[in-house]
Amino acid sequence: MKTIIALMLFAAAAVQGASVTGIVRDPSGGPLPGVTLYLKGSPLTTVSDAKGAFTLEVDALPVTVVAWLDGFRPAEVSVRAGEETDVAIRLELAPMSETMTVRGKSTRSEASESSKFEMRPLDILRTPGAQADIFRALQTLPGVVKIDEGAGLFVRGGDASEVRVLLDGATLSHPFRYETPTGGQFGSVTPLLLEGLTFSTGGFSARYGNALSAVLDLRGLGKPSSSQLLVSAGLAGVATRDSVAANENSGLRLSGNLTTTSALFAVNGKPRDFDQQPDGWDVDASAHYESAAVGSVKVFALSQGERIGIDFQREGFDGFLHSSSRQTFVAASWKRLAGDWQLASALGLDATNDGVDAGVLDLNTIDRNISWRFDAVRALGATLLRTGADADSLQTRTAGTVSFRGGDFGGVSGTKSFDVDRLDTHAGAFGELERKIGIATVTAGVRTDRYHLLFGMTVDPRVNVMFAIRPDQHLRFAWGIFHQSPSPQYYDNASGAPALEAMKARHWIAGYELGAVDGPFFARLEAYDKSYSKLPLQSAAGGFTSDGFGWARGVDLYLQKKWTRVDVHAGASLLDAERRWTPYTQRDQFDLPSGTWHPDFDIPHTFNLSTALKITDSIDGGFAMTYASGRPHTPVIGATLTNNGYLPIYGPINSERLPPYVRCDANLSHRSQIGANVAVLYFVAVSNALGRTNFFDYSYSPDFTRRAPIISAHPRSFYFGMTVIK
């Protein structure tokens, strides 16, 4: 189970003794993102954020911090006990004979881009309740709602399928383990494989296409600067990670995880019945090479698999759901500085084989997604130009048996074959200009996309404007048009759509910021309005058309406060969303009314609070609490007897709400040193500490006269383990 293995890795960065902070700048004084900083003679490493800021957690002073970035001379700063631990580092350009890549003096982040969050692996590992999982940590951010116990990202009134995920520039089309229609149970990439991530929840740059609601851009680790070995063991399995710095130009990384849940269930009991207990494995490797002539080249490969057989209850069905999958992901990326141009390219393959059966449902899916992108950036005086192109080729083959009516796993209404065999290709290009005009920074861009299975070509203009009304206060505004291809499942050869149009969304965003993300206090308040059109909608004939539409509007608030030993993060969201749209899993399930209804992810109120505590120099702790309005639910108001059993009669779509979701989580970790080179970390965590029985659906008796909550698969549970780092 991905969540258990990730918890083992939690201790790898959770407990430290002191903090060294600072900002890295280029020769002109501008902030430098993406700089690798490490302690001399130590494997401890971090990367500067979009504003050039960094934090290194160290055991004790004195230390020497080394800053390194392709195209610049490395810099060293010594920090001694009793001296200021907030340092300033300025990198000078390296001569042409040294390695140079995409990061140069003209690199700037999208300064005016709204609704964007940066996260480092340490932020994810320290989030209580996230279980060291990327997607579960992102669920604590404002604008992201939780509709079940999975890790799917439902952003600002959008479905989880509307989020595009990239890793090292390549499309990660299956970013989840134990996949479900609402995403999956855990992310497929552990945070310790990353330098950081950028999560844009709306109004994102024109460089990203084929996404309606959000973009998650994951940045994998760069070339290792030193060798390191990590071994972790806990209640649910073992994990290992090895980094080798072959020479100054090349390096390797290798890691693997094996999950077995017998010990975990022996301590906590089984939350549900299994006829195949969850287990899984994954291995990954990356090779790195850097030179002045070639630039920076990286190849990353991931292979993983899992299987589960779990008690499954839906409508009047009570049986076992069996699921197994195998995924292989490979991404090759290249970066180089060529004159005034910063160039980057990526080529990726994501191949997945999935099998699932539950009652009459029996499907096997094979996906092959090949992606490519190219980006070029250069400064034109005071203007920054970004341009590039990207393409995807998705081959989907799904075959098997489903019920005539969505949700009918007992097959009371009969069964039919399900057959999808589609090759969908997409190609796009973009151009974007960023310029500072007085107190305003304006980013204006346009992208155009063409989809093989869809009608015509789409053109998406987008604008972001930031006003620096004071050094610590900013106003942000964004507007844009976004398009995305519908899911391949809508093209079922038996009863799906022969053709559809590209789904469309329009974003309006206005926000205010106070303070700095890397400072002692930061606050962000944003309001948004989204409208949707061209959504798949089931027709009276049983197929799908592009006549669906909808809207979402809301307000997000994010607060961050840092003290010497306490960090507090809080987020709150208000959301109102309605749609006229048919998820492919709900085909033939409901009689569609005229007009719109609240979708499953319309969660009006969400509140998250998370704290990280430095209890002593060797002990860290954390606490988190989440409250969310109950998920919309369509009640069964009666039943009709047929020769095969009872068919439910539904009330209005999502006319009821389930009880609110409330959850508290806590963790504690302790670090000790063995000799000069070995650190041992012990950790313990409790999930759902209050033991609240949250549920997201009902099960029904065969005649639909009685209903009961479907018991949570995540009751209160304890986890502990240890990690050894050498």
Side-chain angles (χ1 to χ4, degrees):
M1 184 181 294
K2 174 69 186 305
T3 186
I4 304 303
I5 294 300
L7 271 174
M8 300 176 200
L9 299 176
F10 169 83
V15 184
Q16 313 292 342
S19 296
V20 177
T21 61
I23 296 178
V24 187
R25 300 184 182 277
D26 64 19
S28 65
L32 270 177
V35 178
T36 299
L37 300 110
Y38 62 91
L39 297 186
K40 195 170 185 178
S42 165
L44 186 60
T45 305
T46 190
V47 178
S48 62
D49 64 17
K51 296 184 178 180
F54 70 93
T55 299
L56 277 168
E57 307 288 352
V58 303
D59 292 327
L61 301 175
V63 296
T64 299
V65 178
V66 181
W68 178 87
L69 180 63
D70 291 340
F72 295 85
R73 295 183 183 274
E76 296 185 4
V77 176
S78 296
V79 182
R80 297 179 175 84
E83 295 182 350
E84 178 62 52
T85 58
D86 190 4
V87 300
I89 300 176
R90 181 166 295 201
L91 297 186
E92 299 296 331
L93 287 173
M96 287 302 292
S97 60
E98 295 191 16
T99 302
M100 303 187 74
T101 62
V102 64
R103 294 285 190 182
K105 64 178 181 179
S106 62
T107 298
R108 297 204 299 262
S109 64
E110 289 82 350
S112 62
E113 189 173 339
S114 301
S115 309
K116 186 165 72 174
F117 293 90
E118 295 276 349
M119 268 193 178
R120 301 169 299 166
L122 188 60
D123 301 323
I124 299 168
L125 298 172
R126 284 180 166 172
T127 303
Q131 301 170 319
D133 183 82
I134 295 169
F135 290 87
R136 290 178 180 270
L138 293 173
Q139 286 180 336
T140 67
L141 296 176
V144 185
V145 300
K146 192 169 181 65
I147 73 161
D148 57 20
E149 292 182 320
L153 300 178
F154 295 84
V155 180
R156 291 182 169 179
D159 184 61
S161 63
E162 298 172 14
V163 180
R164 186 173 186 185
V165 182
L166 303 174
L167 175 56
D168 287 339
T171 300
L172 186 60
S173 54
H174 289 270
F176 295 101
R177 304 290 297 269
Y178 304 103
E179 285 193 320
T180 67
T182 60
Q185 290 300 306
F186 311 102
S188 60
V189 180
T190 64
L192 292 181
L193 295 176
L194 304 177
E195 287 183 350
L197 62 85
T198 301
F199 184 47
S200 300
T201 58
F204 40 88
S205 166
R207 70 186 297 261
Y208 299 112
N210 207 21
L212 287 188
S213 288
V215 172
L216 175 57
D217 198 347
L218 306 173
R219 303 184 297 275
L221 289 170
K223 182 178 71 67
S225 57
S226 60
S227 299
Q228 183 189 67
L229 176 65
L230 178 149
V231 178
S232 186
L235 287 181
V238 295
T240 182
R241 187 183 67 177
D242 192 15
S243 302
V244 179
N247 53 50
E248 63 180 10
N249 296 106
S250 59
L252 299 171
R253 298 182 186 274
L254 178 67
S255 64
N257 301 311
L258 177 64
T259 306
T260 57
T261 53
S262 299
L264 180 73
F265 292 152
V267 171
N268 294 285
K270 291 184 179 181
R272 300 275 285 274
D273 289 333
F274 297 92
D275 64 357
Q276 169 59 60
Q277 290 191 174
D279 62 30
W281 58 270
D282 62 84
V283 295
D284 58 80
S286 61
H288 309 256
Y289 177 78
E290 298 171 350
S291 74
V294 176
S296 176
V297 179
K298 173 186 175 183
V299 178
F300 173 82
L302 168 70
S303 181
Q304 58 189 13
E306 69 266 346
R307 59 178 181 172
I308 186 175
I310 188 172
D311 179 41
F312 184 70
Q313 299 169 317
R314 289 295 185 277
E315 285 193 359
F317 174 78
D318 188 354
F320 284 94
L321 180 146
H322 302 100
S323 174
S324 63
S325 69
R326 173 74 180 268
Q327 179 181 24
T328 300
F329 175 80
V330 180
S333 56
W334 168 78
K335 300 178 182 179
R336 188 169 187 263
L337 184 64
D340 293 330
W341 286 96
Q342 299 172 20
L343 308 178
S345 186
L347 178 65
L349 167 67
D350 192 356
T352 305
N353 290 27
D354 286 325
V356 61
D357 67 82
V360 299
L361 175 70
D362 188 1
L363 291 176
N364 286 281
T365 300
I366 300 175
D367 273 351
R368 299 290 184 269
N369 190 346
I370 300 174
S371 63
W372 167 84
R373 73 173 300 118
F374 175 79
D375 293 273
V377 183
R378 69 163 296 172
L380 301 173
T383 302
L384 189 66
L385 167 66
R386 302 184 188 92
T387 187
D390 55 79
D392 292 272
S393 174
L394 175 60
Q395 175 75 56
T396 299
R397 181 73 174 96
T398 302
T401 303
V402 299
S403 62
F404 272 111
R405 178 176 52 82
D408 178 21
F409 292 95
V412 177
S413 57
T415 62
K416 63 179 180 178
S417 62
F418 188 81
D419 181 21
V420 174
D421 190 0
R422 286 291 186 271
L423 173 63
D424 188 11
T425 58
H426 151 261
F430 75 93
E432 189 172 69
L433 296 174
E434 179 182 316
R435 185 182 179 92
K436 186 174 182 181
I437 307 172
I439 65 170
T441 301
V442 181
T443 304
V446 63
R447 71 171 291 121
T448 180
D449 295 272
R450 187 171 187 86
Y451 304 86
H452 170 67
L453 291 180
L454 308 180
F455 298 115
M457 180 177 291
T458 61
V459 178
D460 295 346
R462 301 174 192 177
V463 179
N464 276 270
V465 183
M466 180 190 70
F467 294 95
I469 55 178
R470 290 183 55 181
D472 62 341
Q473 296 185 48
H474 300 85
L475 293 175
R476 296 181 181 269
F477 301 92
W479 171 86
I481 302 296
F482 306 83
H483 282 88
Q484 181 180 336
S485 175
S487 169
Q489 279 76 8
Y490 287 109
Y491 296 99
D492 167 32
N493 292 325
S495 58
L500 291 170
E501 298 182 62
M503 301 183 296
K504 182 180 178 180
R506 184 214 64 200
H507 296 194
W508 288 96
I509 301 172
Y512 168 77
E513 290 182 354
L514 175 63
V517 174
D518 55 342
F521 177 78
F522 176 72
R524 174 190 287 174
L525 178 66
E526 283 194 339
Y528 60 88
D529 183 278
K530 297 167 65 177
S531 62
Y532 291 89
S533 59
K534 308 298 183 182
L535 299 179
L537 181 71
Q538 188 163 21
S539 66
F544 292 94
T545 69
S546 294
D547 296 331
F549 58 91
W551 49 263
R553 59 179 67 102
V555 178
D556 295 332
L557 173 65
Y558 178 72
L559 299 173
Q560 173 184 295
K561 176 64 177 175
K562 298 180 180 179
W563 289 275
T564 303
R565 290 186 173 273
V566 181
D567 288 358
V568 178
H569 302 262
S573 298
L574 302 177
L575 170 66
D576 185 18
E578 291 195 14
R579 282 194 179 193
R580 182 173 179 79
W581 164 66
T582 306
Y584 65 86
T585 55
Q586 295 180 4
R587 67 197 184 287
D588 294 312
Q589 186 169 6
F590 306 124
D591 293 328
L592 300 187
S594 60
T596 60
W597 55 88
H598 295 290
D600 293 351
F601 38 84
D602 175 49
I603 308 297
H605 308 96
T606 303
F607 174 75
N608 291 286
L609 175 67
S610 177
T611 63
L613 310 172
K614 185 175 290 296
I615 301 171
T616 70
D617 289 343
S618 61
I619 300 176
D620 277 5
F623 171 80
M625 193 263 300
T626 297
Y627 170 88
S629 302
R631 174 181 177 174
H633 171 70
T634 303
V636 175
I637 58 176
T640 300
L641 180 62
T642 70
N643 293 332
N644 296 323
Y646 287 88
L647 287 175
I649 300 173
Y650 291 100
I653 299 177
N654 284 342
S655 56
E656 288 187 358
R657 283 195 181 272
L658 301 178
Y661 174 83
V662 180
R663 175 166 166 156
C664 296
D665 304 280
N667 55 47
L668 193 68
S669 55
H670 170 69
R671 174 174 178 166
S672 63
Q673 196 77 22
I674 301 177
N677 299 319
V678 179
V680 182
L681 302 109
Y682 306 91
F683 47 91
V684 61
V686 56
S687 300
N688 193 16
L690 300 181
R692 180 180 172 87
T693 305
N694 293 299
F695 65 94
F696 298 94
D697 208 344
Y698 290 105
S699 64
Y700 290 85
S701 60
D703 61 358
F704 292 93
T705 59
R706 300 182 307 277
R707 72 179 185 182
I710 298 177
I711 299 173
S712 169
H714 294 273
R716 179 169 51 205
S717 59
F718 297 90
Y719 188 81
F720 57 85
M722 64 181 293
T723 300
V724 179
I725 305 174
K726 184 179 185 300

